[in-house]
């Protein structure tokens, strides 16, 4: 059974870089896409972006200028970096396994990231 | 971006009730719509994909229908563990987008 375990800092100051990593257990990394989502009370669930095992990434247009999603297949992990964060980036961030057939069928546990001075 | 509009935003129902949640896409989405259940403090869990295909392990009281721009999720007989928030999501085109959620509450 696939498991996704997230890690990363939960408290940031404005202008800092958000950095999260998702470790994937029990799954062939190359067979799927690997995605990031976030959730806020105000905007609800939001797709951030995805990568495949080769590092070919797709990004949300609204975040693209600040966003990097990278992958390390040898370590079975993928990562999210979002630069120049503001309070508007405060959210619960989720990693997930996705496919073009079933959307997101396995999710990480979620990480609350708070941006505050 | 495709906007997904769910209705109602909140729904009060009793155990055993039949419940239907609607989702309208602002653009054609074929059958590439998924439905998720989310409980407080937890990640969403996939219930339905490709509009009407039940995810493995999901009880058969959940069903989905629709195509194009109109979609719905039905719970045939509401159980105590079904009180939660439900989201639709289109994955026909990037960026993937979600509805605002429907909270199913106990009447």
């Amino acid at each position: 059974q696939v498991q996704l375990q997230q890690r990363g800092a939960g408290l940031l100051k404005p202008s800092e870089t958000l950095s999260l990593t998702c470790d994937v257990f029990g799954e062939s990394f190359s067979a799927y896409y690997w995605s990031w989502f976030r959730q806020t009370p105000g905007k609800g669930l939001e797709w951030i972006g995805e990568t495949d095992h080769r590092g070919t990434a797709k990004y949300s247009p609204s975040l693209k200028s600040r966003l990097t999603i990278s992958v390390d297949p040898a370590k079975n992990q993928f990562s999210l970096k979002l630069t120049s964060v503001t309070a508007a980036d405060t959210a619960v961030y989720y990693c997930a396994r996705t496919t073009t057939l079933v959307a997101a069928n396995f999710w990480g546990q979620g990480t609350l990231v708070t941006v505050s001075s | 971006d495709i906007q997904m509009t769910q209705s109602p935003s909140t729904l009060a129902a009793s155990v055993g009730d039949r419940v239907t949640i609607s989702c309208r896409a602002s653009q054609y989405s074929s059958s590439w719509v998924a439905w998720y259940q989310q409980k407080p403090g937890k990640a969403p869990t996939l219930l339905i994909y490709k509009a009407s295909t039940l995810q493995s392990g999901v009880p058969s009281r959940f069903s989905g229908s629709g195509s194009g721009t109109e979609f719905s999720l039905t719970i045939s007989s509401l159980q105590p563990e079904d009180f939660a928030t439900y989201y639709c999501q289109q994955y026909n085109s990037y960026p993937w987008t979600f509805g605002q959620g429907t909270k199913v509450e106990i009447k």
Side-chain angles (χ1 to χ4, degrees), chain A residues 6-61:
Chain A
Q6 300 175 219
R7 52 189 169 91
L11 181 60
L12 296 171
K13 291 182 168 50
S15 80
E16 291 185 334
T17 296
L18 184 160
S19 182
L20 297 174
T21 295
C22 187
D23 296 301
V24 179
F25 301 96
E27 185 59 84
S28 170
F29 204 74
S30 63
Y32 301 95
Y33 291 92
W34 305 94
S35 298
W36 291 97
F37 299 86
R38 68 182 184 181
Q39 186 171 30
T40 62
K43 290 188 68 176
L45 280 162
E46 180 182 9
W47 177 81
I48 294 172
E50 69 175 23
T51 184
D52 65 13
H53 68 283
R54 295 165 295 182
T56 302
K58 290 185 172 69
Y59 297 146
S60 169

Side-chain angles (χ1 to χ4, degrees), chain A residues 35 37 39 45-47 50 58 60-61 94 98-105 107-109, chain B residues 1 32 34 36 38 41-46 49-50 55 87 89 91 94-98:
Chain A
S35 298
F37 299 86
Q39 186 171 30
L45 280 162
E46 180 182 9
W47 177 81
E50 69 175 23
K58 290 185 172 69
S60 169
Y94 294 100
T98 54
T99 78
T100 52
L101 175 62
V102 303
N105 57 351
W107 294 67
Q109 78 276 23
Chain B
D1 300 3
W32 301 114
Y36 300 87
Q38 188 177 33
K42 300 294 187 181
T45 59
L46 180 68
Y49 63 91
K50 209 178 176 188
Q55 169 70 357
Y87 296 92
Q89 179 220 343
Y91 54 112
Y94 292 100
W96 292 0
T97 49
F98 291 83

